[in-house]
Amino acid sequence: MKNLFSILLFMLPVIGLQAQKFDNLVLTPPMGWNSWNKFKCDVSEKLIMEIADAMVSSGMAAAGYDYVVIDDCWQVDRDETGEIVVDQERFPHGMKYLVDYVHSKGLKFGIYSCAGTKTCQGRPGGRGYEFQDARTYAGWEVDYLKYDWCNHSTQNAQASYSLMRDALYKAGRPMVFSLCEWGANKPWEWAKDVGHLWRTTGDIVDRWDAMMTIFDAQKDLANYAGPGHWNDPDMLEVGNGGMTDEEYRTHFSLWCMLAAPLMAGNDLRTMSDETLAILTNREMIAINQDTLGKQAFCFRDNGDYEIWVKKLVGDERAVCLLNRSDEKKSVEVDFRVLLAANDDYWKISKGDLKNYTIRDVWEHQDVKQGKDVSLVEMPPHSVKVYRFINNQK
Ligand code: GLA
């Protein structure tokens, strides 16, 4: 008995050491850029360096975007020792050179692989090479790993992702671990101790209806998100051309309200002023990056018209009015009700507005108070976002 006890005591640190993700990373949702939405397999050293340059020169980095993530297609093979082989034509100086370049810009570097035998584009996957790959990524000084779920055959998702988590931890370099399992096995129920974010759905498409379908799928997931563990409704399409600027403003606002990772997916080198203005709206970003780490809940669902509320530190809140319809709408807004908004749908009370300034986050101006109820005009597919600023803080 005594022997068994000592063995268990001896093993505890070992078990503890392995069954752990890196804590204290992404305590607010990660922000950055990922190559997939715009460039698919057309990735190269040149592209990534130019994107890193543009991230800084455009002001995106100053607004908080710091991870530069290469998605699928950087890898072509494994050598005789099992080492992953980087596409030499597209990355002539190898991956470490590129990571160093991104770091030299004050940014962080992310890479992509897959829990299955092959990635979604048929490149070598991580299955069976978890510890070796984690060591390689750590050697390159990678900061973020997105791990996909193609070609997984009969693998168990929780076991597969936990194995890679352990491999990363063993490799010793703190890396954000982004699970890309498309919500297939409800990762929100088990991945809090495995990764830092998990995809909740299939891939986003640069269209209003597709974006809204993904948004709708987040409705019941609010309680699973928090500092260091986020629901991921997929990367941003802002600026990729399939939606209007109004719709992109809505897309970005909804992702901010959801405390979603903000991974831009457009060409930062050539984006329009309007795209940049959307992606760098600091008041909107501050709502996303609020340290309380709450995901918004749906306070009212009136079909075409919804109200979403995100609680913020200091007894503040962000409220997003959403006109989903193809028609413009006039909505009557009672700011006292919005201030008191509670996730109990039926509990309607009225807050006291006198201690709050109401800020219109897209107009960048305070709402003139005086009357409690205002009529607000909303174009089709648009949002109004208000922040209730606590003057007594
Ligand atoms: C899957 C993922 C995408 C992207 C591609 C790459 O579809 O969900 O985000 O990484 O694979 O092949």
Side-chain angles (χ1 to χ4, degrees), residues 59-93:
M60 291 277 289
Y65 295 85
D66 55 359
Y67 288 98
V68 176
V69 182
I70 310 188
D71 209 281
D72 210 344
C73 300
W74 58 268
Q75 64 290 68
V76 284
D77 205 352
R78 288 194 183 273
D79 70 13
E80 63 283 357
T81 68
E83 264 311 284
I84 193 79
V85 177
V86 178
D87 184 332
Q88 258 179 15
E89 267 168 39
R90 287 173 171 266
F91 298 88
H93 298 92

Side-chain angles (χ1 to χ4, degrees), residues 3 22 36-37 45 68 77 106 111 130 141 147 150 197 203 213 239 263 265 299 310 313 321 347 350 353 370:
N3 270 350
F22 285 102
W36 184 252
N37 282 357
E45 174 184 291
V68 176
D77 205 352
I111 209 160
E130 291 83 359
E141 298 188 60
Y147 215 47
C150 278
L197 57 154
D203 290 6
T213 302
M263 303 301 283
F299 169 61
K310 184 181 194 294
V313 284
L321 316 180
K347 203 174 135 204
K350 289 186 177 170
L353 288 176

Side-chain angles (χ1 to χ4, degrees), residues 36-37 71-72 112 119-121 146 148 150 180 182 199 202-203 234-235:
W36 184 252
N37 282 357
D71 209 281
D72 210 344
Y112 161 101
T119 72
C120 294
Q121 300 306 311
K146 170 175 169 180
D148 217 333
C150 278
C180 180
W182 322 311
R199 281 274 296 278
D203 290 6
D234 207 358
M235 300 161 305

Side-chain angles (χ1 to χ4, degrees), residues 41 44 76 79 90 94 106 109 128 137 140 153-154 170 180 205 230 241 245 271 296 350 361:
C41 270
S44 65
V76 284
D79 70 13
R90 287 173 171 266
F109 187 92
Y137 303 152
W140 290 340
S153 178
T154 57
K170 186 113 198 291
C180 180
V205 178
W230 309 102
D245 283 339
M271 65 186 150
K350 289 186 177 170
V361 166

Side-chain angles (χ1 to χ4, degrees), residues 177-201:
F177 189 31
S178 158
L179 278 59
C180 180
E181 175 269 7
W182 322 311
N185 298 278
K186 299 190 174 167
W188 47 89
E189 288 181 352
W190 50 263
K192 185 176 172 208
D193 297 323
V194 178
H196 301 93
L197 57 154
W198 50 79
R199 281 274 296 278
T200 54
T201 65

Side-chain angles (χ1 to χ4, degrees), residues 83 88 95 106 115 139 165 213 230 232 338 355:
E83 264 311 284
Q88 258 179 15
M95 209 46 90
R165 167 205 59 193
T213 302
W230 309 102
D232 175 9
L338 296 186
N355 298 330

Side-chain angles (χ1 to χ4, degrees), residues 99-378:
V99 179
D100 286 348
Y101 184 81
V102 169
H103 284 166
S104 78
K105 295 265 144 187
L107 304 169
K108 297 173 184 157
F109 187 92
I111 209 160
Y112 161 101
S113 187
C114 181
T117 49
K118 286 194 159 81
T119 72
C120 294
Q121 300 306 311
R123 306 302 175 94
R127 174 86 170 132
Y129 296 91
E130 291 83 359
F131 286 80
Q132 183 168 6
D133 284 350
R135 270 199 309 276
T136 303
Y137 303 152
W140 290 340
E141 298 188 60
V142 167
D143 305 294
Y144 182 113
L145 173 65
K146 170 175 169 180
Y147 215 47
D148 217 333
W149 189 230
C150 278
N151 304 298
H152 60 262
S153 178
T154 57
Q155 282 172 243
N156 172 285
Q158 186 171 354
S160 299
Y161 283 98
S162 300
L163 183 64
M164 195 59 195
R165 167 205 59 193
D166 294 348
L168 291 173
Y169 199 74
K170 186 113 198 291
R173 179 176 172 85
M175 266 181 241
V176 172
F177 189 31
S178 158
L179 278 59
C180 180
E181 175 269 7
W182 322 311
N185 298 278
K186 299 190 174 167
W188 47 89
E189 288 181 352
W190 50 263
K192 185 176 172 208
D193 297 323
V194 178
H196 301 93
L197 57 154
W198 50 79
R199 281 274 296 278
T200 54
T201 65
D203 290 6
I204 195 166
V205 178
D206 187 17
R207 278 198 331 258
W208 167 259
D209 55 342
M211 183 274 289
M212 288 306 287
T213 302
I214 290 191
F215 174 66
D216 288 338
Q218 314 307 313
K219 216 173 201 161
D220 297 326
L221 304 181
N223 289 336
Y224 296 100
H229 52 98
W230 309 102
N231 291 312
D232 175 9
D234 207 358
M235 300 161 305
L236 296 165
E237 291 283 12
V238 177
N240 278 337
M243 294 185 236
T244 64
D245 283 339
E246 187 80 73
E247 290 170 338
Y248 282 139
R249 233 179 334 269
T250 298
H251 172 28
F252 189 69
S253 303
L254 296 178
W255 263 233
C256 287
M257 292 295 290
L258 290 172
L262 297 179
M263 303 301 283
N266 59 313
D267 190 343
L268 304 185
R269 302 167 302 179
T270 56
M271 65 186 150
S272 68
D273 291 347
E274 189 53 35
T275 295
L276 178 64
I278 294 171
L279 289 171
T280 56
N281 179 335
R282 287 174 187 242
E283 295 188 53
M284 206 58 248
I285 290 172
I287 290 169
N288 173 265
Q289 294 289 302
D290 185 80
T291 52
L292 201 58
K294 291 280 184 199
Q295 178 171 325
F297 60 89
C298 184
F299 169 61
R300 285 286 184 281
D301 180 355
N302 295 337
D304 275 350
Y305 171 62
E306 295 176 6
I307 303 176
W308 288 73
V309 178
K310 184 181 194 294
K311 292 184 177 162
L312 309 174
V313 284
D315 206 20
E316 300 201 354
R317 64 198 55 222
V319 176
C320 176
L321 316 180
L322 167 64
N323 176 12
R324 304 175 63 120
S325 76
D326 300 337
E327 314 290 328
K328 67 176 194 297
K329 269 189 191 301
S330 299
V331 294
E332 215 175 62
V333 177
D334 187 333
F335 289 110
R336 292 164 305 173
V337 173
L338 296 186
L339 175 64
N342 194 289
D343 34 12
D344 178 353
Y345 192 91
W346 300 109
K347 203 174 135 204
I348 303 172
S349 50
K350 289 186 177 170
D352 189 349
L353 288 176
K354 76 172 181 305
N355 298 330
Y356 286 86
T357 300
I358 304 168
R359 180 89 180 156
D360 184 321
V361 166
W362 285 106
E363 296 295 332
H364 298 295
Q365 62 188 22
D366 297 347
V367 174
K368 284 205 185 58
Q369 278 172 268
K371 36 187 187 147
D372 297 322
V373 181
S374 291
L375 202 62
V376 175
E377 303 294 336
M378 298 186 70

